[in-house]
Amino acid sequence: MAIIDPGIDPGSQERPHVLIVDDVSENIEVLAAALGSECEVFFAMSGDEAIEIASSLRIDLILLDIMMPDVDGYEVCRLLKLDPRLAEIPVIFVTAKTDIEDEAKGFEVGGVDYITKPIKRLRVRARVSTHLQLKASRDRLRALAQVDSIAGVANRATFDSLLEREIKRAELEQMPLSLLLVGIDDFGALVDSRGHLAIQTLLERVGRGLAEQARGALDFCAHFGGPQFAMILPQQGADMALDRAAALVDTVAQLGLKGREPGQLVTASVGGITLEFALIDLTQRVSSHDLALAASQALEQAANTGRGQLWLQRWESAV
């Protein structure tokens, strides 16, 4: 996860994903026909199915019928808003109910709009287009808020939140989790000799180079602070973390950035910690602060042994 997705770009070729939820197939067909040329349409015929689809696919907007068997649309919307992963999906109610009380209830549970039946294609397209554009704008602003203004990768707050989530997931799945901290060597001397503008460019280059080394959808690169960058490696044990750490040291060296002395290149050292829930018996929950502190201590050990060094360890309760 090296790059933060800013949401749907109206100028891109990827079509928005819209989920239609209705227990009457004819209604689904009418709505799908209204949106099919502009959107990628998915459908569900029950509330449970709708939540399952929204949880497993990228859904940008939901058109939700109110009157359905088992779980009505109001309850489906309420459940969606309780899930942080799904809460930002705009929900438009599509229903035959016309009372103002019904409309007010729709807004109370988190709906953003209310379309009454019979369905009119132009109205549906206009409302859906408006809310997709609003969501895309919110997503872009949210993404920008997660990006470090200096290094151009995810910021510390985003890192802290994601690391806490990955620790919980690793514990639940009994899978390893590794955290690497990459620190630019002799950073204070570089600042003194190069100036702050050149240092910002250097941090941008290093951040971009490290982010490009993130593999797959799970790896996550962030600016930890100052001359340090973090790489979260879910499902990767100590041996894999060691290989990745060595690759990150090589990545910084291969950027060819000029160091403080003539002919000297900028280098980085890496400290890391691996948490393996399947191998340890923790008496108390590990927090993101605990893991980051252990990685910081490992990085300090690496930096104290020279330039371009590694120091990795497994989690122990005494850390």
Side-chain angles (χ1 to χ4, degrees):
M1 194 156 47
I3 300 173
I4 296 177
D5 179 5
I8 298 171
D9 180 355
S12 73
Q13 298 300 311
E14 186 175 14
R15 299 197 299 173
H17 290 192
V18 174
L19 174 61
I20 300 171
V21 187
D22 200 306
D23 62 318
V24 179
S25 59
E26 289 81 2
N27 292 336
I28 292 175
E29 291 172 2
V30 171
L31 289 168
L35 301 174
S37 62
E38 304 293 335
C39 306
E40 192 75 26
V41 176
F42 302 85
F43 69 90
M45 300 190 74
S46 71
D48 290 341
E49 187 182 5
I51 293 173
E52 181 180 351
I53 292 173
S55 300
S56 59
L57 300 176
R58 192 206 86 212
I59 299 297
D60 300 305
L61 183 141
I62 297 175
L63 292 169
L64 179 59
D65 184 31
I66 292 177
M67 295 183 292
M68 294 188 298
D70 299 327
V71 181
D72 67 19
Y74 295 132
E75 180 64 10
V76 173
C77 186
R78 189 186 71 82
L79 292 173
L80 288 168
K81 299 306 175 183
L82 288 175
D83 190 330
R85 301 169 301 162
L86 310 177
E88 298 301 322
I89 303 175
V91 175
I92 299 177
F93 287 107
V94 183
T95 181
K97 289 177 171 285
T98 58
D99 292 343
I100 189 66
E101 292 81 4
D102 295 317
E103 185 173 347
K105 185 175 181 180
F107 289 120
E108 286 174 5
V109 297
V112 298
D113 211 338
Y114 197 93
I115 299 175
T116 56
K117 298 176 181 177
I119 296 166
K120 296 182 179 180
R121 293 189 180 189
L122 290 177
R123 177 182 299 171
V124 170
R125 279 201 293 265
R127 299 282 182 84
V128 167
S129 176
T130 295
H131 288 291
L132 284 173
Q133 289 178 32
L134 289 171
K135 181 180 184 294
S137 297
R138 289 195 301 270
D139 288 347
R140 281 192 291 271
L141 289 172
R142 190 178 300 110
L144 289 172
Q146 295 174 340
V147 174
D148 185 270
S149 60
I150 297 175
V153 293
N155 60 24
R156 177 63 185 270
T158 305
F159 162 82
D160 288 338
S161 175
L162 185 70
L163 181 59
E164 193 71 45
R165 190 175 72 191
E166 289 299 334
I167 290 173
K168 293 177 182 177
R169 188 157 70 100
E171 182 179 14
L172 179 65
E173 298 176 354
Q174 291 291 288
M175 295 291 289
L177 171 67
S178 293
L179 171 63
L180 303 179
L181 286 188
V182 183
I184 298 173
D185 295 321
D186 299 329
F187 188 71
L190 279 172
V191 173
D192 292 339
S193 63
R194 301 279 296 278
H196 290 282
L197 185 59
I199 289 300
Q200 179 167 340
T201 301
L202 184 150
L203 289 172
E204 289 174 353
R205 291 279 305 279
V206 172
R208 186 163 60 248
L210 295 175
E212 289 173 353
Q213 295 304 308
R215 301 174 185 171
L218 296 180
D219 292 2
F220 186 83
C221 179
H223 187 204
F224 190 74
Q228 297 177 3
F229 294 82
M231 184 78 80
I232 302 174
L233 306 175
Q235 301 178 9
Q236 298 188 39
D239 291 341
M240 295 181 68
L242 181 61
D243 290 341
R244 299 296 301 280
L248 295 178
V249 169
D250 290 343
T251 293
V252 175
Q254 291 169 8
L255 290 174
L257 300 172
K258 294 181 180 180
R260 184 168 63 93
E261 302 293 338
Q264 185 184 67
L265 296 178
V266 170
T267 61
S269 295
V270 177
I273 183 77
T274 295
L275 185 62
E276 299 193 36
F277 283 103
L279 301 179
I280 58 179
D281 180 22
L282 295 173
T283 57
Q284 59 184 11
R285 194 177 198 90
V286 182
S287 70
S288 59
H289 173 76
D290 297 330
L291 209 60
L293 178 60
S296 294
Q297 292 170 347
L299 176 59
E300 184 177 358
Q301 292 278 7
N304 287 340
T305 62
R307 296 165 56 87
Q309 300 299 306
L310 307 177
W311 190 284
L312 275 74
Q313 60 190 51
R314 285 186 171 89
W315 175 270
E316 296 177 0
S317 58
V319 171

